[in-house]
Amino acid sequence: MTGSSPLVIVVGFDGSEHSQTALSWAVEEARQRNGQLRLITAWSSHPMSWYPAVLETAAGEIAAEDSPRRIAETVQAGALESAAAGGVVATGHVVHDHSPASAILAAAQDADLIVVGSRGHGGFPGLHLGSVTSQVIHHAPCAVLVARPKTNGGVNHG
């Protein structure tokens, strides 16, 4: 963060529990530090098998027959509503990109911080760090915070 420019936090958001945790953390940090959020939701033409058949979001219900772009837009709208409800300025970018990590990294070129969940919808149930998060950590142009949902009474057990 330089001079009088606001703190810019990029948040990778796919609607998963882990990205919800990342968003909550980023909203609180932006509120405390008078920052702003840049929410990134990437989609591709490939079937999004990691989205459940029906997903409830703040913006409404997503049906299985919705297009990947429509799903991403609805997920993003819910994230923007959450940021606004938290009193934080946020912009949203729904990006057509086969690599969510690339979309997050491109959006973070002038950012102060990237916040991502430890994993998204994909991967294996016991996976502690997803491929997108790993790529972001290794190639980020700024600091990265990896958020994990609290479990077992607030203690994360790996």
Side-chain angles (χ1 to χ4, degrees):
M1 192 163 131
T2 60
S4 63
S5 62
L7 175 77
V8 175
I9 302 173
V10 170
V11 182
F13 190 81
D14 66 2
S16 67
E17 176 186 10
H18 292 256
S19 71
Q20 294 281 353
T21 300
L23 177 61
S24 295
W25 193 95
V27 166
E28 184 60 29
E29 185 70 10
R31 184 176 38 240
Q32 289 181 17
R33 297 183 62 192
N34 197 30
Q36 59 189 27
L37 302 182
R38 187 177 301 154
L39 305 174
I40 306 300
T41 303
W43 67 278
S44 73
S45 301
H46 296 166
M48 293 182 151
S49 59
W50 41 268
Y51 276 105
V54 176
L55 174 68
E56 284 288 332
T57 69
E61 186 177 279
I62 298 172
E65 63 273 3
D66 283 346
S67 72
R69 180 183 184 94
R70 168 81 174 100
I71 292 169
E73 289 169 347
T74 302
V75 164
Q76 172 103 162
L80 288 169
E81 286 179 16
S82 292
V88 172
V89 173
T91 58
H93 304 278
V94 176
V95 181
H96 181 246
D97 196 322
H98 296 290
S99 169
S102 294
I104 293 166
L105 293 168
Q109 290 305 307
D110 63 344
D112 299 293
L113 176 66
I114 300 171
V115 181
V116 290
S118 56
R119 54 175 290 186
H121 289 286
F124 302 99
L127 191 64
H128 294 291
L129 193 66
S131 61
V132 170
T133 301
S134 181
Q135 289 175 41
V136 169
I137 290 168
H138 288 96
H139 301 287
C142 59
V144 178
L145 182 126
V146 178
R148 289 184 60 190
K150 291 182 179 179
T151 59
N152 299 327
V155 177
N156 285 323
H157 292 181

